Short mmCIF file of all heavy atoms in Angstrom, two decimals:
data_model
loop_
_atom_site.label_atom_id
_atom_site.label_comp_id
_atom_site.label_asym_id
_atom_site.label_seq_id
_atom_site.Cartn_x
_atom_site.Cartn_y
_atom_site.Cartn_z
N LYS A 10 21.59 -10.64 -32.37
CA LYS A 10 22.66 -10.75 -31.48
C LYS A 10 22.87 -9.34 -30.84
O LYS A 10 22.75 -8.28 -31.48
CB LYS A 10 23.92 -11.11 -32.19
CG LYS A 10 23.90 -12.53 -32.80
CD LYS A 10 25.18 -12.92 -33.47
CE LYS A 10 25.18 -14.24 -34.04
NZ LYS A 10 26.42 -14.57 -34.74
N ASP A 11 23.08 -9.47 -29.52
CA ASP A 11 23.36 -8.18 -28.69
C ASP A 11 24.79 -7.95 -28.58
O ASP A 11 25.48 -8.73 -28.00
CB ASP A 11 22.65 -8.29 -27.43
CG ASP A 11 22.59 -7.00 -26.55
OD1 ASP A 11 23.61 -6.16 -26.70
OD2 ASP A 11 21.56 -6.76 -25.88
N ALA A 12 25.34 -6.91 -29.25
CA ALA A 12 26.78 -6.57 -29.28
C ALA A 12 27.38 -6.35 -27.93
O ALA A 12 28.58 -6.43 -27.73
CB ALA A 12 26.98 -5.41 -30.25
N GLU A 13 26.50 -6.00 -26.91
CA GLU A 13 26.92 -5.74 -25.71
C GLU A 13 27.16 -6.89 -24.73
O GLU A 13 27.40 -6.70 -23.52
CB GLU A 13 26.01 -4.57 -24.89
CG GLU A 13 26.05 -3.24 -25.54
CD GLU A 13 27.43 -2.62 -25.58
OE1 GLU A 13 28.08 -2.74 -24.57
OE2 GLU A 13 27.85 -2.04 -26.56
N GLY A 14 26.96 -8.11 -25.30
CA GLY A 14 27.16 -9.17 -24.54
C GLY A 14 26.02 -9.59 -23.53
O GLY A 14 26.15 -10.23 -22.55
N ASN A 15 24.78 -8.97 -23.82
CA ASN A 15 23.70 -9.06 -22.92
C ASN A 15 22.79 -10.45 -23.14
O ASN A 15 21.99 -10.73 -22.44
CB ASN A 15 22.66 -7.96 -23.25
CG ASN A 15 23.22 -6.63 -22.73
OD1 ASN A 15 23.99 -6.50 -21.68
ND2 ASN A 15 22.94 -5.64 -23.45
N GLY A 16 23.23 -11.15 -24.21
CA GLY A 16 22.44 -12.27 -24.57
C GLY A 16 20.97 -11.88 -25.00
O GLY A 16 20.87 -10.87 -25.61
N ASN A 17 20.04 -12.58 -24.50
CA ASN A 17 18.64 -12.33 -24.67
C ASN A 17 18.00 -11.61 -23.50
O ASN A 17 16.81 -11.45 -23.47
CB ASN A 17 17.84 -13.56 -24.97
CG ASN A 17 18.34 -14.22 -26.28
OD1 ASN A 17 18.95 -13.63 -27.19
ND2 ASN A 17 18.05 -15.60 -26.54
N ASN A 18 18.80 -11.28 -22.54
CA ASN A 18 18.34 -10.66 -21.35
C ASN A 18 17.55 -9.55 -21.40
O ASN A 18 16.50 -9.22 -20.60
CB ASN A 18 19.37 -10.44 -20.26
CG ASN A 18 20.08 -11.78 -19.69
OD1 ASN A 18 19.49 -12.76 -19.76
ND2 ASN A 18 21.31 -11.69 -19.25
N TYR A 19 17.85 -8.60 -22.29
CA TYR A 19 17.06 -7.27 -22.38
C TYR A 19 16.31 -7.11 -23.78
O TYR A 19 16.34 -6.08 -24.33
CB TYR A 19 18.07 -6.18 -22.12
CG TYR A 19 18.85 -6.27 -20.90
CD1 TYR A 19 20.20 -6.61 -20.83
CD2 TYR A 19 18.22 -6.16 -19.71
CE1 TYR A 19 20.93 -6.74 -19.70
CE2 TYR A 19 18.83 -6.33 -18.40
CZ TYR A 19 20.26 -6.73 -18.50
OH TYR A 19 20.86 -6.80 -17.32
N MET A 20 15.90 -8.28 -24.18
CA MET A 20 15.20 -8.24 -25.59
C MET A 20 13.93 -9.05 -25.49
O MET A 20 13.78 -10.07 -24.82
CB MET A 20 16.09 -8.84 -26.59
CG MET A 20 15.85 -8.48 -28.07
SD MET A 20 16.91 -9.32 -29.21
CE MET A 20 18.49 -9.22 -28.44
N SER A 21 12.81 -8.47 -26.18
CA SER A 21 11.62 -9.15 -26.34
C SER A 21 11.21 -9.33 -27.75
O SER A 21 11.67 -8.52 -28.56
CB SER A 21 10.59 -8.37 -25.60
OG SER A 21 10.58 -8.41 -24.12
N VAL A 22 10.35 -10.23 -27.93
CA VAL A 22 9.70 -10.45 -29.23
C VAL A 22 8.28 -9.94 -29.23
O VAL A 22 7.53 -10.23 -28.28
CB VAL A 22 9.60 -11.90 -29.64
CG1 VAL A 22 8.90 -12.16 -31.03
CG2 VAL A 22 11.11 -12.55 -29.80
N GLU A 23 7.87 -9.06 -30.18
CA GLU A 23 6.56 -8.48 -30.13
C GLU A 23 5.82 -9.20 -31.36
O GLU A 23 6.25 -9.41 -32.45
CB GLU A 23 6.63 -7.07 -30.50
CG GLU A 23 5.32 -6.34 -30.70
CD GLU A 23 5.29 -4.86 -31.14
OE1 GLU A 23 6.45 -4.40 -31.21
OE2 GLU A 23 4.19 -4.34 -31.30
N PHE A 24 4.47 -9.49 -31.08
CA PHE A 24 3.53 -9.86 -32.05
C PHE A 24 2.23 -9.23 -31.74
O PHE A 24 2.09 -8.76 -30.64
CB PHE A 24 3.39 -11.40 -32.32
CG PHE A 24 2.98 -12.14 -30.98
CD1 PHE A 24 1.61 -12.21 -30.62
CD2 PHE A 24 3.86 -12.76 -30.15
CE1 PHE A 24 1.21 -12.91 -29.45
CE2 PHE A 24 3.46 -13.46 -28.98
CZ PHE A 24 2.17 -13.56 -28.64
N HIS A 25 1.34 -9.21 -32.64
CA HIS A 25 -0.06 -8.55 -32.56
C HIS A 25 -0.99 -9.74 -32.57
O HIS A 25 -0.81 -10.62 -33.36
CB HIS A 25 -0.29 -7.51 -33.60
CG HIS A 25 0.60 -6.33 -33.47
ND1 HIS A 25 0.78 -5.38 -34.37
CD2 HIS A 25 1.57 -6.07 -32.51
CE1 HIS A 25 1.54 -4.56 -34.13
NE2 HIS A 25 2.15 -4.77 -32.87
N TYR A 26 -2.13 -9.65 -31.79
CA TYR A 26 -2.94 -10.69 -31.68
C TYR A 26 -4.37 -10.24 -31.73
O TYR A 26 -5.07 -9.90 -30.72
CB TYR A 26 -2.74 -11.45 -30.25
CG TYR A 26 -3.33 -12.79 -30.15
CD1 TYR A 26 -2.72 -14.02 -30.75
CD2 TYR A 26 -4.51 -12.98 -29.69
CE1 TYR A 26 -3.26 -15.21 -30.63
CE2 TYR A 26 -5.16 -14.38 -29.55
CZ TYR A 26 -4.49 -15.40 -30.18
OH TYR A 26 -5.09 -16.60 -30.00
N TYR A 27 -4.98 -10.22 -32.92
CA TYR A 27 -6.39 -9.99 -33.11
C TYR A 27 -6.86 -11.29 -33.60
O TYR A 27 -7.45 -11.37 -34.78
CB TYR A 27 -6.57 -8.90 -34.21
CG TYR A 27 -6.05 -7.55 -33.78
CD1 TYR A 27 -4.78 -7.18 -34.34
CD2 TYR A 27 -6.64 -6.63 -33.08
CE1 TYR A 27 -4.14 -5.98 -34.00
CE2 TYR A 27 -6.22 -5.45 -32.65
CZ TYR A 27 -4.99 -5.04 -33.13
OH TYR A 27 -4.48 -3.86 -32.92
N GLN A 28 -6.96 -12.33 -32.88
CA GLN A 28 -7.32 -13.63 -33.19
C GLN A 28 -8.42 -14.12 -32.46
O GLN A 28 -8.58 -14.00 -31.23
CB GLN A 28 -6.07 -14.59 -33.12
CG GLN A 28 -4.80 -14.25 -33.72
CD GLN A 28 -5.21 -14.20 -35.30
OE1 GLN A 28 -5.86 -15.03 -35.84
NE2 GLN A 28 -4.39 -13.32 -36.03
N PRO A 29 -9.41 -14.79 -33.30
CA PRO A 29 -9.49 -14.91 -34.67
C PRO A 29 -10.02 -13.60 -35.34
O PRO A 29 -10.90 -12.88 -34.73
CB PRO A 29 -10.46 -16.06 -35.01
CG PRO A 29 -11.37 -16.11 -33.80
CD PRO A 29 -10.49 -15.61 -32.58
N TRP A 30 -9.45 -13.24 -36.44
CA TRP A 30 -9.82 -11.91 -37.05
C TRP A 30 -11.30 -11.91 -37.39
O TRP A 30 -11.96 -10.87 -37.28
CB TRP A 30 -8.99 -11.65 -38.27
CG TRP A 30 -9.33 -10.32 -39.03
CD1 TRP A 30 -10.09 -10.07 -40.17
CD2 TRP A 30 -8.95 -9.10 -38.49
NE1 TRP A 30 -10.18 -8.70 -40.38
CE2 TRP A 30 -9.47 -8.07 -39.27
CE3 TRP A 30 -8.32 -8.58 -37.37
CZ2 TRP A 30 -9.37 -6.79 -39.18
CZ3 TRP A 30 -8.04 -7.21 -37.18
CH2 TRP A 30 -8.62 -6.28 -38.08
N SER A 31 -11.90 -13.08 -37.69
CA SER A 31 -13.26 -13.10 -37.98
C SER A 31 -14.20 -12.82 -36.81
O SER A 31 -15.48 -12.34 -36.97
CB SER A 31 -13.68 -14.52 -38.44
OG SER A 31 -13.24 -15.42 -37.48
N TYR A 32 -13.62 -12.80 -35.69
CA TYR A 32 -14.37 -12.39 -34.37
C TYR A 32 -13.84 -10.99 -33.93
O TYR A 32 -14.61 -10.10 -33.71
CB TYR A 32 -14.21 -13.38 -33.31
CG TYR A 32 -14.73 -12.83 -31.94
CD1 TYR A 32 -16.00 -12.86 -31.70
CD2 TYR A 32 -13.77 -12.40 -31.02
CE1 TYR A 32 -16.58 -12.36 -30.47
CE2 TYR A 32 -14.24 -11.99 -29.71
CZ TYR A 32 -15.65 -11.99 -29.45
OH TYR A 32 -16.00 -11.57 -28.21
N ALA A 33 -12.46 -10.84 -33.75
CA ALA A 33 -11.94 -9.68 -33.11
C ALA A 33 -11.71 -8.38 -34.03
O ALA A 33 -11.67 -7.39 -33.48
CB ALA A 33 -10.55 -10.05 -32.63
N GLY A 34 -11.75 -8.72 -35.38
CA GLY A 34 -11.57 -7.65 -36.28
C GLY A 34 -12.77 -7.26 -37.25
O GLY A 34 -13.09 -6.10 -37.42
N ASP A 35 -13.33 -8.26 -37.81
CA ASP A 35 -14.35 -7.92 -38.90
C ASP A 35 -15.74 -8.34 -38.59
O ASP A 35 -16.68 -8.25 -39.49
CB ASP A 35 -13.98 -8.39 -40.25
CG ASP A 35 -13.92 -9.93 -40.43
OD1 ASP A 35 -14.39 -10.64 -39.46
OD2 ASP A 35 -13.46 -10.50 -41.47
N CYS A 36 -15.93 -8.86 -37.31
CA CYS A 36 -17.29 -9.19 -36.90
C CYS A 36 -18.09 -10.22 -37.70
O CYS A 36 -19.34 -10.29 -37.75
CB CYS A 36 -18.17 -7.89 -36.87
SG CYS A 36 -17.40 -6.42 -36.02
N THR A 37 -17.51 -11.09 -38.27
CA THR A 37 -18.18 -12.27 -39.00
C THR A 37 -18.89 -13.07 -37.93
O THR A 37 -20.03 -13.51 -38.18
CB THR A 37 -17.14 -13.08 -39.66
OG1 THR A 37 -16.30 -12.37 -40.63
CG2 THR A 37 -17.84 -14.33 -40.39
N TYR A 38 -18.34 -13.14 -36.76
CA TYR A 38 -19.07 -13.87 -35.66
C TYR A 38 -19.25 -13.00 -34.43
O TYR A 38 -18.51 -12.17 -34.22
CB TYR A 38 -18.01 -15.10 -35.16
CG TYR A 38 -17.75 -16.10 -36.23
CD1 TYR A 38 -16.69 -16.07 -37.02
CD2 TYR A 38 -18.65 -17.29 -36.41
CE1 TYR A 38 -16.41 -17.08 -37.96
CE2 TYR A 38 -18.39 -18.23 -37.32
CZ TYR A 38 -17.24 -18.11 -38.17
OH TYR A 38 -16.97 -19.07 -39.10
N ASP A 39 -20.35 -13.20 -33.87
CA ASP A 39 -20.85 -12.44 -32.77
C ASP A 39 -20.29 -12.98 -31.40
O ASP A 39 -20.13 -12.22 -30.41
CB ASP A 39 -22.29 -12.38 -32.51
CG ASP A 39 -22.98 -11.52 -33.71
OD1 ASP A 39 -22.39 -10.59 -34.15
OD2 ASP A 39 -24.20 -11.81 -33.86
#
């Protein structure tokens, strides 16, 4: 909750995306 009454206007959700890890991270797949 934004105590300033901003609602969700000035807020983002962050996630990280190394998907699939078998390709993007540990090279199981070429």
Side-chain angles (χ1 to χ4, degrees):
K10 294 181 180 179
D11 192 321
E13 292 301 318
N15 297 321
N17 296 337
N18 288 335
Y19 305 109
M20 200 180 319
S21 288
V22 177
E23 175 188 358
F24 60 83
H25 299 167
Y26 196 85
Y27 298 98
Q28 300 298 326
W30 183 254
S31 57
Y32 170 78
D35 67 10
C36 310
T37 302
Y38 296 94
D39 289 337

